[in-house]
Amino acid sequence: MTTDDPAPATGRDTPETGSNAARAQSFGAVATAYDAGRPTFPAEALTWILGPGRGLQVLDLGAGTGKLAAVAAGLGHDVIAVDPSQEMLEVCRRRPGLDTMMGAAESIPLAHASVDAVIVGQAFHWFDHARALPEIARVLRPNGVLGLLWNRADTVVPWVRRMVQTMQGDGLGGDRFDPVPVLLQSGLFALVEDTRFRHWQDLDRNGLRQLAQSHSRIAVLTESRRDAVLDQVDAIYENTARPPEPLRMPYFTDCYRARPSDLANYRRTLDAPVAPHL
């Protein structure tokens, strides 16, 4: 399995994973750990999605604490970070150069055709796609782009494999979420392109613990079970790290980009005129 908080593949609730809704809503309670423990996204990944220019109006949907939004702002774009969690947005607001709004993917609080790009990091698999994709297509300009990104730990490295097994609890399965069928079956997006980028995250003992605490499966555990998992994380650090050197967590960032289809553009023009550039 991966470290991107996949929703249970069966869609059923289990004692170990907790309910899908509980897991999806668990991130607000661990916003600080999420911001401290989760990796950022490589700038070259966003450049691949958005292009080499500057000044696009970008919506980061399901923005969380703003890690992806901050990268987009650093590339010179105007970014609106939207998330349903007030706790996450409180952390996000500490980052310079970002506008923030409460909202969900299924009901985006923006006008028709108001953004050049919608980007989603580590969140698209939580959306109700039947409701969210029409909303994303609605707010995108006719030549806009949807970009989806997931950081996935490189489990070829033995200690990383142990870490992922500890966080996920049931070994390494093959349940990576594939967004391509969802996008194409909606009829709202055209050809989907994908690529992958490599990067690393430096972690000390506390950072490794916060990485574990930020994952939905662990966030919904009882305190005693959560402490037991964190004890295992500490053991991994003790057996692997060579202080003062940090542990280097290797990641692949899987990226997807797609543009609105002719159908999406036609439906949008029926609903409302294109919003002007600000």
Side-chain angles (χ1 to χ4, degrees):
M1 293 177 70
T2 67
T3 58
D4 59 349
D5 284 302
T10 61
R12 295 192 297 268
D13 301 341
T14 69
E16 284 301 308
T17 62
S19 73
N20 290 359
R23 289 181 65 191
Q25 296 168 8
S26 67
F27 297 108
V30 293
T32 300
Y34 192 103
D35 193 57
R38 290 295 183 105
T40 186
F41 297 84
E44 56 265 34
L46 266 186
T47 299
W48 179 79
I49 290 171
L50 301 175
R54 300 168 63 88
L56 297 181
Q57 294 172 16
V58 177
L59 164 62
D60 183 0
L61 193 55
T65 63
K67 282 184 172 285
L68 182 59
V71 177
L75 292 172
H77 301 295
D78 299 321
V79 184
I80 301 172
V82 172
D83 196 89
S85 167
Q86 181 63 39
E87 296 90 345
M88 285 287 202
L89 285 180
E90 286 177 1
V91 178
C92 185
R93 292 185 184 113
R94 301 171 193 166
R95 301 181 185 277
L98 302 179
D99 292 324
T100 62
M101 297 181 70
M102 287 279 292
E106 296 79 12
S107 182
I108 300 173
L110 295 177
H112 287 61
S114 57
V115 296
D116 300 301
V118 175
I119 55 176
V120 186
Q122 306 294 121
F124 185 73
H125 53 288
W126 291 115
F127 296 171
D128 178 345
H129 301 120
R131 296 167 57 203
L133 286 175
E135 276 289 275
I136 293 170
R138 178 184 66 80
V139 301
L140 274 173
R141 295 183 183 278
N143 294 316
V145 63
L146 168 63
L148 309 176
L149 305 90
W150 281 270
N151 282 320
R152 308 192 192 276
D154 182 1
T155 55
V156 170
V157 180
W159 78 263
V160 177
R161 186 179 181 89
R162 292 195 300 274
M163 181 68 182
V164 173
Q165 288 174 324
T166 299
M167 290 190 294
Q168 298 298 347
D170 54 359
L172 298 170
D175 67 340
R176 288 185 177 181
F177 180 82
D178 181 4
V180 176
V182 175
L183 293 173
L184 295 181
Q185 289 169 14
S186 73
L188 298 173
F189 292 90
L191 177 68
V192 182
E193 301 173 276
D194 66 275
T195 191
R196 167 177 278 191
F197 296 89
R198 178 89 162 164
H199 67 120
W200 289 263
Q201 178 191 23
D202 289 346
L203 294 164
D204 58 14
R205 178 196 297 272
N206 190 49
L208 197 66
R209 284 176 64 93
Q210 288 175 315
L211 173 62
Q213 288 174 301
S214 75
H215 282 264
S216 61
R217 175 190 167 269
I218 296 174
V220 299
L221 293 176
T222 63
E223 183 176 359
S224 61
R225 288 187 177 184
R226 186 164 56 249
D227 287 345
V229 171
L230 294 178
D231 286 344
Q232 296 177 53
V233 171
D234 285 341
I236 291 172
Y237 182 87
E238 290 292 338
N239 293 329
T240 308
R242 298 293 182 267
E245 295 297 321
L247 281 179
R248 300 206 80 201
M249 187 86 161
Y251 284 95
F252 295 108
T253 301
D254 289 336
C255 306
Y256 303 81
R257 66 183 179 192
R259 298 192 180 274
S261 66
D262 291 341
L263 173 62
N265 290 331
Y266 175 71
R267 287 175 54 175
R268 190 190 311 104
T269 60
L270 294 180
D271 292 334
V274 173
H277 282 275
L278 300 179

